[in-house]
Amino acid sequence: MHTEKEIRAAIKPLVESYGVLNTSEVKQKLEDFLEYDKEDRQLSATRNEMLIIQRIGNIVAHQTEQVKTYQEGFIVDKSVTPALFYAVTGLSQDIQKVSEKEVQKRQSRVAKKERQGKMIDWASVNEKRTRLGSLGEQFVFEYERDAVSQFDAGAVDRVIHLSAKQGDGFGYDILSLNEKGETVFIEVKTTAGNLETPFYMSRTEKEFFEEYKDDNAFVYRVYHFSTEDRHGQIVKIPAEKLLHDYHFDPVSFMVTKKSTYPDAEHRGMLFS
């Protein structure tokens, strides 16, 4: 069962993607990016909804201030109904909601993706669940928390490690921030070999870097990684450099069962 703290960490990348969402929208969209377990899906004893949906509502209901900044890096404004969840920018001492212009930019991106349809790349999800992939992500997560603590100790919890399902859905693995308080998007690619060892990206990941090439998106290339020491070397590759300096070679196929109907020519003969 996910706790409220875990739910807040899952809400962060969702709000980051849209810029702003109301409570109903958060409840509706969160399951697309967070795997609910059996206990999450149990019906509440007091309300006709799943327990995890009730917990999302509790974030707002238990909030004593009208406007509150959460340590995971979003603002909830309950001065309006339904309450609004905002993405933020800035460091701890001057944190604020993202601008209306930025919200429009983000929602335009999301609307385009929703028109195209969402398809989870389970091969990518399974790759992230391998021991090497998981340990590499954890290594970078701890590296980023340490880096952020050097310039804003109060913002460490804004470094969020997404689940495998979330990561594929959004196109990156870790949310962090830079010294300007801007969001940083990190996709981790880990190999035991050297820096020249090829790595793999899903279509969702590549499309994300194409869209966010000017918005602090990076591949953290972890190499010479030891699963025993849980340590390796890191090279940070900005999105623009990734797209310009690297080849993207298709090495796999999506395989679907052929139709049981005759081909077009024979079908025309049958129904003519």
Side-chain angles (χ1 to χ4, degrees), residues 30-95:
L30 191 60
E31 189 175 8
D32 287 340
F33 303 101
L34 181 68
E35 293 184 72
Y36 294 176
D37 61 29
K38 186 176 180 180
E39 290 179 285
D40 288 331
R41 296 180 181 280
Q42 290 180 358
L43 282 179
S44 164
T46 57
R47 304 186 66 175
N48 187 29
E49 59 186 11
M50 292 188 295
L51 283 175
I52 193 166
I53 300 300
Q54 183 177 20
R55 287 197 181 92
I56 295 170
N58 286 346
I59 293 172
V60 177
H62 296 166
Q63 179 176 310
T64 55
E65 303 98 321
Q66 286 290 87
V67 180
K68 179 176 178 178
T69 302
Y70 285 84
Q71 61 187 14
E72 290 78 13
F74 59 85
I75 289 173
V76 175
D77 183 349
K78 60 183 291 184
S79 66
V80 294
T81 305
L84 295 175
F85 290 66
Y86 284 92
V88 300
T89 187
L91 299 178
S92 296
Q93 67 272 18
D94 63 350
I95 197 166

Side-chain angles (χ1 to χ4, degrees), residues 261-272:
Y261 291 104
D263 60 35
E265 181 181 350
H266 292 127
R267 189 164 60 244
M269 292 172 62
L270 284 172
F271 294 100
S272 59

